[in-house]
Amino acid sequence: MTEEMVRADNVHKSFGSLEVLKGIDLVVRSGEVCCVLGPSGSGKSTFLRCVNHLEKINAGKIFVDGDLIGYHERGGKLHEMKDSDVAKQRRAIGMVFQRFNLFPHMTTLQNVMEAPCRVKRENKSEVRDRAAALLERVGLGSKIDAYPGMLSGGEQQRVAIARALAMRPKLMLFDEPTSALDPELVGEVLDVMKDLARDGMTMLVVTHEIGFAREVGDNVVFMDGGVVVEQGAPAEIIGNPKHERTKAFLSKVL
Amino acid sequence: MSVPSQTERVRPEAIKAVPVRRPGRWLAIAVIAILVAMFLHLIFTNDQFRWSFIFSSYEPGKRGVMFTEPVLEGLRGTLLLTVTSMVIGVVLGVLIAIMRLSDNWILRTVAFGYTWFFRAVPRLVLCVLFGNLNILWTRIGFGLPFDQQIGKLFGINDLNAQFYSIKATDLLAGFVAGMLALGLSEAAYMAEIVRAGIQSIDPGQAEAATALGLSRGQVLRRVVLPQAMRVIVPPTGNEVIAMVKDTSLVAFVPVTYELFFQLNAIKARTFVVLPVLIAAVIWYLLICTVLMVAQYFVERHFGRGYGTAGRARQRLRAIQAEQGSSAVEGGAT
């Protein structure tokens, strides 16, 4: 039953002459929460952005739900995908950003409705009901007509999660979702994420919240310098790290 | 030492201080008042203005110079020319701005070359040039490009593969030439304005939209451009107003269907100089006033989600809703 939702095979990524990812292997099984830890500049955010092809990888392969991301493989040769095909793959992958990136010219409800209405061309009134229900679920049922600029950071991030969920993704990517928040607002966002995890959503979370990783993560990956240093159960990696680098990092953040 | 508690303390009397004297300000106001009085005196007492010539009748049996038929005709021409050349300018400008931001260097270079040329050449020169451009061709049409040359390649002399063509002097003269000169020149400026607008938007916006599965066109149309409009609209308002005034340049194409040309013609015929010029000033002032009001509403439309006014209104509504619901609850219990 534990099929692979994400599979990364020896993924390399360079920006110019700077190699950011130096051979990442990683598997996230369906229904699992995988937390990626590591110091800044370790390549964890870049890796996350490669999973939905916001960044093109230079070598290796990434599969999501069995589909190769960004390329067609025909006769042993890779063909770059058309933009529309990449967009089709991205529909099934929700992403939440560190800086929320809500559309400021739309109300929260319009933010959530935008993709289902424009991309999937679903029935508008149906989408409206679903969007309102999603906003209700993240605790913002009373703010559906507010513009993002009127909301606190925590509220904005919860809208961003609802916006991603509106496309009914099979995988959710979180790129440091609480790093831009005031400490007192972090909890409300983590609560929504925990709720999602309980519902069985497959999640790949780049985070600095060690507590969240320990409590919710099924699997913890520690990255540094563009490689996976170690991975395993949270209790093992956080409670009893093997590598010096992991120990040094955890001693600073705990 | 005991500090008196909040309830014991009496609120002191509100401060009633003598305000600082500002004699410089009063002096400035006095000078301005005198200048305004002099100006009004000039307008109302100097009969060289000949207001009746401007407003009521410039020749026996005719309306004032502002409202006479050829001038109104010219006004229509000016407005039509402004609208058409701005439409060309905005549509082509957006296209060139997008080319300028393309990943492809050929498109980028072409866009750069376009803005380089049309910003460098003065509009007056462009107007004269476009008025004479029909010297280059006898006929202009749609069809197979290089049809003559291709025909020769296959041994056919005078192959004509044009679906539709028109005599160059009929097409590229007068109004059309003026419209193209102004519109193409405007596109170069609009391209820079639109590019600045697009570049002012946080790349995270396009990224979030892309991650949701929106296509490139949708990202631009639904997310980037609506936000860029906040930056694009104010300088575009400038451009429209500048265009109203620049339409007077098409007199050199030559186009006679234009406000200032018509007024000038009356000036030349009647030898009445100043009142005609004042009539022109009043018309341009009126047009630009209307445009500025329009700009205010356009800016308000694209300012959704920004600024304090909208935020305050939203908050007020939230408070009202809260009070409303609590009142209902209070009534129910």
Side-chain angles (χ1 to χ4, degrees):
Chain A
M1 66 152 278
T2 50
E3 59 183 276
E4 289 172 357
M5 183 55 80
V6 181
R7 173 176 200 92
D9 280 340
N10 205 0
V11 170
H12 288 254
K13 168 73 190 171
S14 307
F15 292 109
S17 59
L18 181 73
E19 193 167 38
V20 192
L21 301 179
K22 301 169 184 167
I24 303 287
D25 294 303
L26 189 137
V27 170
V28 184
R29 282 171 226 292
S30 203
E32 222 177 46
V33 176
C34 175
C35 293
V36 184
L37 307 179
S40 5
S42 59
K44 52 196 192 315
S45 284
T46 304
F47 173 71
L48 201 70
R49 293 160 59 81
C50 290
V51 173
N52 66 355
H53 210 54
L54 280 180
E55 306 282 356
K56 275 185 193 171
I57 59 177
N58 300 102
K61 279 174 185 173
I62 297 177
F63 298 89
V64 171
D65 205 16
D67 294 329
L68 181 60
I69 290 294
Y71 301 92
H72 293 294
E73 200 166 11
R74 287 193 216 103
K77 229 180 151 186
L78 289 183
H79 298 260
E80 243 181 51
M81 258 188 198
K82 280 190 295 184
D83 288 343
S84 56
D85 290 338
V86 179
K88 220 169 271 174
Q89 288 187 325
R90 287 186 180 125
R91 290 180 198 178
I93 308 172
M95 186 162 189
V96 175
F97 297 85
Q98 183 178 355
R99 308 277 318 278
F100 331 133
N101 297 349
L102 291 180
F103 308 134
H105 58 302
M106 301 181 190
T107 63
T108 54
L109 189 69
Q110 287 169 337
N111 262 280
V112 178
M113 288 173 62
E114 180 67 15
C117 285
R118 300 281 154 183
V119 179
K120 289 188 171 173
R121 310 223 170 261
E122 289 180 61
N123 180 296
K124 203 164 180 185
S125 65
E126 209 174 281
V127 173
R128 185 190 302 274
D129 293 343
R130 196 167 87 227
L134 276 169
L135 285 167
E136 189 71 48
R137 179 176 171 190
V138 298
L140 292 170
S142 61
K143 306 248 170 142
I144 57 173
D145 289 326
Y147 283 96
M150 305 165 188
L151 302 178
S152 75
E155 289 170 333
Q156 288 192 48
Q157 194 61 297
R158 286 185 279 153
V159 174
I161 294 172
R163 178 175 70 175
L165 290 176
M167 290 294 281
R168 305 187 210 266
K170 47 192 178 192
L171 167 69
M172 284 285 284
L173 307 174
F174 290 85
D175 187 6
E176 302 196 24
T178 57
S179 295
L181 296 177
D182 290 343
E184 56 172 342
L185 302 178
V186 168
E188 61 190 55
V189 172
L190 291 183
D191 286 343
V192 169
M193 290 169 65
K194 282 175 199 168
D195 185 48
L196 260 183
R198 265 197 298 276
D199 275 7
M201 176 62 76
T202 313
M203 294 160 66
L204 184 53
V205 186
V206 169
T207 186
H208 291 295
E209 296 293 328
I210 306 294
F212 176 84
R214 183 159 35 198
E215 190 188 338
V216 184
D218 297 298
N219 195 11
V220 168
V221 176
F222 178 75
M223 275 177 72
D224 188 29
V227 294
V228 173
V229 177
E230 59 182 314
Q231 56 179 311
E236 214 172 291
I237 303 294
I238 297 168
N240 185 22
K242 304 275 183 304
H243 287 259
E244 280 311 311
R245 196 60 200 86
T246 319
K247 281 180 195 164
F249 175 77
L250 288 172
S251 72
K252 273 181 214 146
V253 294
L254 278 177
Chain B
M1 233 173 65
S2 73
V3 179
S5 77
Q6 285 291 321
T7 47
E8 281 172 47
R9 292 193 79 181
V10 183
R11 190 173 184 275
E13 231 179 278
I15 292 174
K16 282 186 201 129
V18 179
V20 174
R21 303 291 173 212
R22 301 186 192 278
R25 251 183 225 178
W26 285 108
L27 188 68
I29 290 168
V31 170
I32 290 168
I34 290 168
L35 288 175
V36 169
M38 284 167 75
F39 179 67
L40 291 177
H41 180 256
L42 176 78
I43 283 185
F44 285 113
T45 61
N46 195 315
D47 49 14
Q48 288 301 317
F49 278 112
R50 296 178 63 180
W51 295 110
S52 64
F53 181 94
I54 297 176
F55 292 116
S56 48
S57 167
Y58 82 98
E59 265 170 14
K62 286 192 175 162
R63 280 174 277 183
V65 77
M66 259 182 90
F67 309 108
T68 187
E69 200 41 55
V71 171
L72 291 182
E73 188 83 350
L75 178 71
R76 273 195 287 277
T78 287
L79 293 176
L80 190 66
L81 201 54
T82 305
V83 170
T84 50
S85 53
M86 276 315 291
V87 167
I88 294 175
V90 169
V91 172
L92 198 58
V94 171
L95 203 70
I96 291 166
I98 293 167
M99 281 169 68
R100 188 77 192 276
L101 296 169
S102 162
D103 294 331
N104 183 298
W105 71 268
I106 297 176
L107 295 182
R108 269 204 314 271
T109 312
V110 168
F112 175 80
Y114 183 94
T115 33
W116 167 76
F117 180 82
F118 279 99
R119 284 204 302 179
V121 183
R123 276 192 184 164
L124 179 59
V125 176
L126 277 178
C127 283
V128 183
L129 179 71
F130 273 68
N132 292 291
L133 218 51
N134 52 36
I135 295 166
L136 289 176
W137 306 281
T138 46
R139 295 186 77 81
I140 296 173
F142 289 105
L144 183 68
F146 293 109
D147 52 353
Q148 300 267 321
Q149 288 83 343
I150 292 170
K152 274 194 193 117
L153 217 61
F154 293 100
I156 309 164
N157 273 329
D158 255 10
L159 173 71
N160 187 358
Q162 302 292 318
F163 305 120
Y164 174 78
S165 71
I166 185 169
K167 248 175 86 184
T169 44
D170 288 348
L171 177 72
L172 203 58
F175 190 85
V176 174
M179 181 181 81
L180 285 178
L182 294 178
L184 295 183
S185 157
E186 186 56 42
Y189 292 94
M190 282 308 302
E192 290 295 281
I193 292 172
V194 172
R195 180 170 70 98
I198 291 176
Q199 284 181 327
S200 74
I201 303 305
D202 173 13
Q205 288 290 314
E207 225 163 55
T210 310
L212 282 168
L214 270 69
S215 71
R216 270 165 181 261
Q218 284 174 327
V219 171
L220 197 69
R221 273 198 318 277
R222 300 285 308 167
V223 175
V224 177
L225 277 180
Q227 294 182 59
M229 286 305 274
R230 274 180 71 238
V231 180
I232 293 172
V233 168
T236 304
N238 262 353
E239 292 296 313
V240 177
I241 286 170
M243 182 57 81
V244 171
K245 297 176 289 181
D246 281 355
T247 53
S248 56
L249 296 175
V250 297
F252 292 88
V253 167
V255 177
T256 55
Y257 183 44
E258 184 269 314
L259 178 64
F260 191 60
F261 184 92
Q262 294 297 339
L263 279 164
N264 239 344
I266 293 175
K267 187 181 85 184
R269 190 153 48 79
T270 59
F271 300 110
V272 181
V273 178
L274 193 75
V276 170
L277 294 176
I278 298 287
V281 167
I282 294 174
W283 266 128
Y284 285 119
L285 277 176
L286 284 176
I287 298 171
C288 289
T289 308
V290 172
L291 288 174
M292 281 165 77
V293 173
Q295 183 182 345
Y296 168 79
F297 286 103
V298 174
E299 274 181 34
R300 206 173 63 167
H301 173 77
F302 286 109
R304 279 169 310 170
Y306 296 92
T308 46
R311 220 170 281 187
R313 229 179 299 132
Q314 183 80 23
R315 218 166 271 155
L316 204 66
R317 220 181 301 152
I319 292 168
Q320 278 170 346
E322 229 162 71
Q323 284 174 342
S325 65
S326 67
V328 170
E329 276 164 33
T333 47

